[in-house]
Structure formats: C-alpha cells, structure tokens
Amino acid sequence: MAESNVLYEQRGAVALVTLNRPDALNSLTRTMHEELRALLDRVNGDKSVRALVITGAGRGFCAGANLAAFDMTPGPDQVQRADPGPIIEKLFNPTVRKLMDLRVPTIAAVNGVAAGAGASLAMTCDLAIAAPSATFIQAFSRIGLIPDAGGSWFLVKKLGLARAMGCAMLGDKLSARDAKEWGMIWNVAPEGADVVAEAMKLAERLATMPTAALAATRKLLRAAATSDLDHQLDLERDTQSALGRTHDYIEGVTAFLQKRPAQFKGE
C-alpha cells in the first residue's frame, strides 16, 4: 500500500505532521490538502493533543503549489483551465483558515526550502524554527502571480512593507538567519541540531501550558493590528472573563498562591 502524502504521529501531547512528497519537495497536491485538513480536524477533536508541529520529509519543507496540476495545454479554453483562482479557493484558503484557527499552538519545523505557499504555510503557524540551511522564497513573481495562501498578509505583518515588497517582487532567497532577523520566523536551530527535535522541545513546553489561553493570546495579538486601543481593551476584558471560567485559570492562580508548579489540563 502506498505511503500517505501526509504523515501523522503523536508523541505524548504533541502531534507531528509531516508533508511526505520528498521527491517533489513536498509541493502541495489536492490530496495533500485534503489529508492535511483531515489531520487538523483530528487534532481539534483529540483533547490529548496540546500542540502541533508541521515539517517536511526529505530535503525540503514545502515548495508550494504543485504546478503540474495547472492545465496549460494549448487550446481555446486554456485561460479558463489554467486559472489558479479555483484551486486557491478550494484548496489553499481552507487549509490556511483551518490551521490559523486550530485549537492548539502550532510550530513549523522548516527543514529545507519553503517556497511560495510553502513559505506561507510556515508563516501561518504560530511559531517557526528553521534549520540553518533552510531558505524562504517568494517565487510568485517568477511565474506572473502574486503571493497567496495568506502570503501577502503575512509578509507585511511580519516583515513590514519595505521588506515585504522586496521579497515579493524580487523573489530572492531569504536565508534562515535573515528570516529570523527580519521577523519572519521565531528562531534558527543550532548548527548540527535536528530542527524537528528542536521544534518538538518547544512544542512539548507549550503542551504543558494552558492551551485555551495560548489560542486566545494568538487571536488577540492578530486582532491588535486592526483594533484601536478601546476595542482591544474590550476584547481583553471579554477574553479574560471567558478564560476565568476555565480549569487552567483556577489551577494557575491556586498553584501560584500555594507556591507549587501548576498542572494544566488544557481545559
């Protein structure tokens, strides 16, 4: 039986998802999108999972869209057949939205090249750790397109307009070190270290923390970019009130007062 295009493994409270088309640098097919979203649903439905790591098999993280899926055969209806819009609407956008709203914190372990929508996938995760040799490429201008899968949004939010323009228009490779310095990713793994192992360490740490509070923090920080202070203060009040009814809030404050480590359940 053929191996799945997306692998799933649970290590304790951490789910490890591996894109598994190494010969194609894990470029995303329709099947991969469907399998990935099914696994994200699995994580959302399994309370024993408290964090998620996404990586790629082989020497690449993800080369973006599988361009072979676009029908470029000459003919009178070539423009309609080659239109990338329907593929983005049916495959990429649902994947980005589901990953953005996942119940648990997410980490990208970028083991190699992350190109096009692959770079967007890494930026969709809450945190990203890259191997020192990893690179990030906005390859869209080379084929007459624009950053998608959230790329045009993530680039500006993370890098600022000037650097986002340079990355998107020029399509030059960005090293892991520069990606960290510019704010695209959280960290670069030490030389000689296994980037997945480094991501798992971080995920295991997050998995012991109050999961609902982490997801709420993510939501509030994203909202801050478009909220004025008054609106953000209201959001903070309402979110704190909701979290105040969770087990982890009661446990966290009780443990603090009793001067002992908190035992969070993610509830």
Side-chain angles (χ1 to χ4, degrees), residues 51-131:
L52 171 73
V53 172
I54 296 180
T55 193
R59 60 189 180 89
F61 175 71
C62 177
N66 175 32
L67 295 180
F70 295 89
D71 187 353
M72 296 294 180
T73 307
D77 61 342
Q78 182 187 43
V79 171
Q80 289 75 26
R81 287 185 281 104
D83 182 1
I87 292 177
I88 292 171
E89 175 64 19
K90 294 177 182 177
L91 301 180
F92 286 88
N93 288 355
T95 299
V96 170
R97 289 185 173 115
K98 191 173 289 290
L99 183 57
M100 284 276 281
D101 293 332
L102 205 67
R103 179 184 59 81
V104 301
T106 57
I107 301 171
V110 185
N111 54 304
V113 63
S120 297
L121 182 64
M123 290 189 288
T124 303
C125 292
D126 299 324
L127 300 172
I129 299 178

Side-chain angles (χ1 to χ4, degrees), residues 6-10 15-18 39 42-43 46 49 52:
V6 184
L7 306 179
Y8 184 90
E9 178 185 354
Q10 186 170 342
L16 174 62
V17 170
T18 305
L39 293 176
R42 178 175 173 178
V43 168
D46 186 348
V49 175
L52 171 73

Side-chain angles (χ1 to χ4, degrees), residues 2-267:
E3 194 171 29
S4 174
N5 288 306
V6 184
L7 306 179
Y8 184 90
E9 178 185 354
Q10 186 170 342
R11 300 182 185 177
V14 179
L16 174 62
V17 170
T18 305
L19 306 178
N20 189 40
R21 292 182 69 233
D23 292 343
L25 293 176
N26 303 311
S27 58
L28 295 164
T29 64
R30 176 183 296 273
T31 299
M32 290 177 74
H33 278 286
E34 293 170 349
E35 291 181 6
L36 178 56
R37 289 199 298 273
L39 293 176
L40 296 179
D41 286 337
R42 178 175 173 178
V43 168
N44 270 336
D46 186 348
K47 293 298 179 67
S48 70
V49 175
R50 303 273 296 280
L52 171 73
V53 172
I54 296 180
T55 193
R59 60 189 180 89
F61 175 71
C62 177
N66 175 32
L67 295 180
F70 295 89
D71 187 353
M72 296 294 180
T73 307
D77 61 342
Q78 182 187 43
V79 171
Q80 289 75 26
R81 287 185 281 104
D83 182 1
I87 292 177
I88 292 171
E89 175 64 19
K90 294 177 182 177
L91 301 180
F92 286 88
N93 288 355
T95 299
V96 170
R97 289 185 173 115
K98 191 173 289 290
L99 183 57
M100 284 276 281
D101 293 332
L102 205 67
R103 179 184 59 81
V104 301
T106 57
I107 301 171
V110 185
N111 54 304
V113 63
S120 297
L121 182 64
M123 290 189 288
T124 303
C125 292
D126 299 324
L127 300 172
I129 299 178
S133 59
T135 55
F136 299 82
I137 311 170
Q138 296 299 317
F140 300 96
S141 63
R142 301 181 183 183
I143 57 172
L145 292 176
I146 52 90
D148 59 22
S152 65
W153 190 85
F154 290 119
L155 285 171
V156 175
K157 300 296 182 186
K158 291 177 177 289
L159 306 185
L161 185 58
R163 283 172 168 165
M165 284 284 192
C167 286
M169 288 188 170
L170 299 175
D172 293 337
K173 288 183 179 180
L174 187 67
S175 71
R177 300 292 179 190
D178 286 342
K180 177 184 177 180
E181 181 181 340
W182 290 9
M184 179 181 284
I185 63 173
W186 169 247
N187 208 353
V188 179
E191 288 287 346
D194 182 341
V195 69
V196 174
E198 293 299 310
M200 289 296 295
K201 290 178 187 176
L202 188 56
E204 288 163 1
R205 176 180 169 188
L206 291 171
T208 67
M209 297 172 69
T211 309
L214 296 178
T217 298
R218 166 211 292 157
K219 186 175 181 180
L220 279 170
L221 292 179
R222 290 175 183 158
T226 54
S227 294
D228 59 30
L229 178 57
D230 283 339
H231 181 59
Q232 195 73 5
L233 288 171
D234 290 343
L235 287 176
E236 290 175 353
R237 175 202 62 212
D238 295 343
T239 304
Q240 292 289 51
S241 183
L243 290 172
R245 294 188 287 274
T246 64
H247 164 276
D248 286 349
Y249 162 69
I250 301 297
E251 166 63 10
V253 175
T254 302
F256 176 81
L257 295 174
Q258 295 177 352
K259 295 181 172 57
R260 62 172 174 81
Q263 299 297 316
F264 296 118
K265 295 182 178 180
E267 299 172 356

